[in-house]
């Protein structure tokens, strides 16, 4: 990823030359403004790297040269909390409005996710506009390639906007004049535009994932996302077709044999997926479809402000006398998301005995004191209790897929590991969802059984077993913490029902209108030239 890293560094220097004023207007200035940058293939490579950088900064917290920052500790957590999987542990101020469902139009992440998405859209629109003006290309295919990347990322940004806010302004040109008259485009129209963008991306991105730079998009990443967008739009026939195309393309397969950096160590093939340096195809991983690059100590890679997934899920074991920070225990977690007992508890019956996703290599349930300076406890087991789990948030079953520690710097907060954004197991689960919603229960069973076979879980043999709730449970078993759980539950219409059923912290507070967030107040206040109504339920 060296070439990409250098271009990312160039983009970060260029980034101040554009911004989204009031989220939707472009301000163009400086020596590295688009008029000066987008004059050659290399200039578009800089802009393309910028798109990847902004997309990655979806997970950024406080900055450290990120292309965008949320200016808060828990943006990732805001999309997991108040669902069926987790409650708040360490109650950082930035996450409390989402845990208690008290968010308003002035809440930090309500505004920052809006800004992040329109920043990505603005950057994509710049590339699209200037690519039509430029004639200095190294290759005849360059123009369509950069346009395909831009249209993918524009659709990717609108995915977040539609999930969180519903009807939003659709902007497909560079707004070089200040506007105060935006209106909300109906969700269906936005989804239609996203579908058109992703179809274009499919047709013009490279098809062979072994012939692109690590972390770069392919046809199949676009079609994987298109399957999800079709599900969002209720077009289950096309969602099924797209998922089938990705599965049958021949480039990807579920990993069923040990592979990668620790293939000879103790573990299993599911745990191998999350070992550092095992996310990209260069490790032998044929399951990853698109991998965001957060590599440790690499220019253009991760920082301590990027991707705090580990920090969110892992317990504060090191606050218990007899423990010290250790990379083998996942490093420094901060217990911001506390997994619920109904799905991760020993006796929940949620995982079958043979399911490797519940093995000791994937969920750590046995903890041993590791402080050699305390010989009275060293090496002895430390039990998980309701107090350690739900009162002090210091010890509970932990997801080892997010373990990350470095002996040279155990206080790290960033996860610093490349992130599988799209992988084939989820494609199979999209296929299952499409067939289930069509009423094709045997086909849905066949799709989900591919995932369950790899996990050594029993296959479904009866149509009565194939329900939407079973699929949502399976997504937890396979994708917990990787997916944005709020998005999945909103898409399937299950957010309110399952939060009420499983979440003791926010279940009583959730209302139907919470399926959307409020529109940022700053957007409404500045848009005085046209009516811009707030979402129902919010002032």
């Amino acid at each position: 990823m060296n070439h990409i890293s250098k271009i990312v560094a160039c983009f970060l220097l260029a980034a101040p030359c554009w911004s989204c004023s009031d989220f939707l207007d472009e301000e163009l200035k400086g020596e590295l403004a688009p008029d000066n940058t987008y004059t050659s293939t290399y200039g578009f490579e800089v802009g393309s790297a910028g798109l990847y950088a902004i997309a990655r900064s979806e997970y950024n917290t406080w900055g450290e040269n990120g292309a965008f920052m949320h200016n808060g500790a828990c943006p990732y957590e805001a999309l997991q909390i108040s669902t069926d999987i987790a409650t708040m542990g360490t109650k950082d101020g930035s996450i409390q409005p989402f845990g208690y469902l008290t968010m308003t139009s002035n809440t930090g992440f309500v505004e920052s996710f809006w800004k992040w998405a329109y920043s990505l859209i603005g950057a994509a629109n710049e590339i699209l506009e200037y690519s039509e003006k430029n004639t200095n290309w190294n290759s005849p295919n360059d123009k369509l390639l950069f346009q395909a990347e831009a249209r993918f990322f524009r659709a990717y940004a609108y995915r977040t906007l539609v999930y969180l806010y519903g009807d939003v302004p659709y902007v497909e040109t560079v707004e070089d004049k200040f506007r105060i008259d935006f209106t909300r485009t109906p969700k269906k129209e936005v989804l239609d535009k996203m579908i058109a963008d992703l179809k274009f991306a499919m047709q013009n991105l490279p098809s062979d994932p072994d012939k692109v730079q690590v972390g770069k998009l392919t046809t199949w990443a676009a079609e994987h996302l298109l399957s999800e967008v079709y599900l969002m739009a209720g077009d289950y026939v096309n969602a099924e077709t797209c998922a089938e195309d990705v599965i049958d393309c021949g480039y990807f397969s579920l990993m069923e044999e040990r592979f990668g950096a620790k293939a000879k160590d103790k573990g299993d093939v599911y745990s191998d997926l999350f070992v550092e340096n095992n996310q990209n195809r260069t490790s032998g991983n044929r399951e990853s479809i698109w991998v965001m690059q957060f590599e440790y100590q690499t220019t253009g890679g991760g920082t301590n402000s990027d991707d705090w997934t580990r920090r969110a899920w892992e317990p504060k074991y090191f606050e218990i006398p007899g423990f010290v920070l250790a990379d083998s225990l996942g490093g420094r977690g901060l217990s911001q998301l506390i997994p619920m007992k109904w799905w991760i508890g020993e006796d929940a019956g949620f995982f079958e005995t043979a399911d490797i996703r519940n093995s000791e290599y994937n969920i750590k349930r046995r903890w041993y004191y590791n402080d050699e300076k305390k010989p009275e406890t060293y090496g002895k087991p430390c039990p998980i209790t309701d107090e350690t789990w739900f009162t002090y948030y210091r010890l509970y079953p932990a997801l080892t897929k997010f373990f990350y520690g470095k002996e040279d710097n155990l206080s790290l907060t960033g996860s610093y590991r490349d992130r599988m954004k799209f992988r084939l197991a989820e494609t199979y689960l999209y296929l299952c969802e499409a067939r289930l919603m069509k009423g094709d229960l045997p086909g849905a069973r066949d799709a989900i059984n591919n995932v369950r076979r790899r996990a050594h879980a029993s296959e479904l043999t009866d149509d009565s077993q194939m329900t939407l709730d079973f699929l949502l449970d399976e997504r937890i078993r396979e994708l917990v913490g990787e997916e944005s759980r709020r998005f999945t539950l909103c898409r399937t219409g299950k957010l309110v029902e399952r939060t009420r059923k499983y979440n003791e912290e926010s279940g009583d507070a959730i209302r139907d209108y919470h399926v959307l967030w409020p529109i940022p107040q700053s957007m409404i206040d500045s848009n005085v030239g046209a009516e811009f109504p707030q979402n129902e339920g919010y002032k």
Side-chain angles (χ1 to χ4, degrees), residues 48 81 98 132:
S48 167
I81 208 71
F98 304 94
E132 292 295 340

Side-chain angles (χ1 to χ4, degrees), residues 59-78:
Y59 297 99
N60 189 276
T61 53
W62 293 107
E64 294 187 66
N65 297 319
F68 178 88
M69 56 186 176
H70 285 281
N71 285 313
C74 305
Y76 161 86
E77 292 89 322

Side-chain angles (χ1 to χ4, degrees), residues 102-342:
T102 58
M103 60 273 197
T104 71
S105 58
N106 291 307
T107 298
F109 295 146
V110 166
E111 180 173 308
S112 68
F113 270 101
W114 180 279
K115 292 179 67 175
W116 167 79
Y118 279 111
S119 293
L120 184 53
I121 290 163
N125 286 341
E126 278 189 358
I127 286 178
L128 291 168
E129 178 171 308
Y130 281 87
S131 65
E132 292 295 340
K133 300 176 182 178
N134 184 60
T135 58
N136 181 26
W137 301 107
N138 291 350
S139 165
N141 296 325
D142 286 352
K143 175 181 175 179
L144 290 176
L145 172 62
F146 292 121
Q147 289 182 339
E149 287 185 320
R151 293 184 71 168
F152 171 91
F153 282 115
R154 184 165 67 184
Y156 181 74
Y158 272 110
R159 166 184 178 260
T160 291
L161 288 169
V162 168
Y163 272 132
L164 293 182
Y165 309 100
D167 301 344
V168 293
Y170 192 82
V171 182
E172 54 189 340
T173 59
V174 175
E175 298 289 346
D176 55 1
K177 295 182 179 179
F178 187 77
R179 282 187 59 185
I180 55 173
D181 60 350
F182 289 101
T183 58
R184 298 182 66 175
T185 307
K187 175 181 174 179
K188 183 184 182 305
E189 292 183 28
V190 177
L191 290 172
D192 287 345
K193 297 278 192 180
M194 294 163 64
I195 289 167
D197 275 349
L198 290 171
K199 284 182 175 179
F200 181 93
M202 282 171 50
Q203 294 165 1
N204 294 288
L205 286 168
S207 62
D208 188 342
D210 294 312
K211 293 182 179 179
V212 299
Q213 292 174 304
V214 170
K216 281 286 195 175
L217 294 167
T218 65
T219 290
W220 314 110
E223 193 158 17
H224 172 97
L225 181 57
L226 181 56
S227 179
E228 180 188 353
V229 175
Y230 275 130
L231 289 172
M232 295 170 71
D235 185 344
Y236 304 119
V237 172
N238 278 317
E240 178 184 29
T241 298
C242 288
E244 289 174 335
D245 285 349
V246 176
I247 291 166
D248 295 339
C249 73
Y251 290 112
F252 309 102
S253 58
L254 295 179
M255 298 303 295
E256 297 182 356
E257 302 291 337
R258 299 292 307 279
F259 74 97
K262 296 186 177 181
K264 295 183 179 180
D265 293 355
K266 292 180 179 180
D268 52 49
V269 68
Y270 187 78
S271 67
D272 284 342
L273 290 169
F274 305 98
V275 170
E276 185 181 10
N277 300 320
N278 274 11
Q279 287 67 58
N280 297 300
R281 288 177 72 86
T282 49
S283 70
N285 184 342
R286 290 179 59 84
E287 186 164 334
S288 294
I289 298 170
W290 179 37
V291 182
M292 286 185 167
Q293 304 297 298
F294 288 103
E295 188 176 340
Y296 182 58
Q297 291 186 340
T298 301
T299 302
T303 73
N304 251 354
S305 289
D306 286 318
D307 195 2
W308 281 4
T309 306
R310 179 274 307 275
R311 167 183 166 129
W313 284 103
E314 305 310 348
K316 296 189 289 184
Y317 64 89
F318 49 87
E319 292 187 353
I320 299 174
F323 279 100
V324 292
L325 279 171
D327 56 351
S328 60
L329 300 181
R332 181 172 172 253
L334 286 183
S335 305
Q336 289 164 333
L337 294 174
I338 305 301
M340 295 176 187
K341 188 176 285 189
W342 78 270

Side-chain angles (χ1 to χ4, degrees), residues 473-498:
D473 289 351
E474 190 69 15
R475 287 187 68 96
I476 295 175
R477 285 184 279 264
E478 183 69 29
L479 298 169
V480 65
E482 298 173 68
E483 66 172 350
S484 293
R485 189 61 175 177
R486 161 174 270 274
F487 291 179
T488 295
L489 294 180
C490 286
R491 181 181 70 251
T492 56
K494 285 282 192 173
L495 176 67
V496 175
E497 176 188 330
R498 286 179 66 102

Side-chain angles (χ1 to χ4, degrees), residues 383-404:
I384 294 172
T385 67
D386 281 351
E387 187 177 68
T388 69
W389 192 336
F390 299 111
T391 302
Y392 298 111
Y393 320 121
R394 289 175 178 168
L395 209 63
Y396 46 81
L399 298 167
T400 64
K401 66 168 68 175
F402 300 124
F403 270 25
Y404 189 88

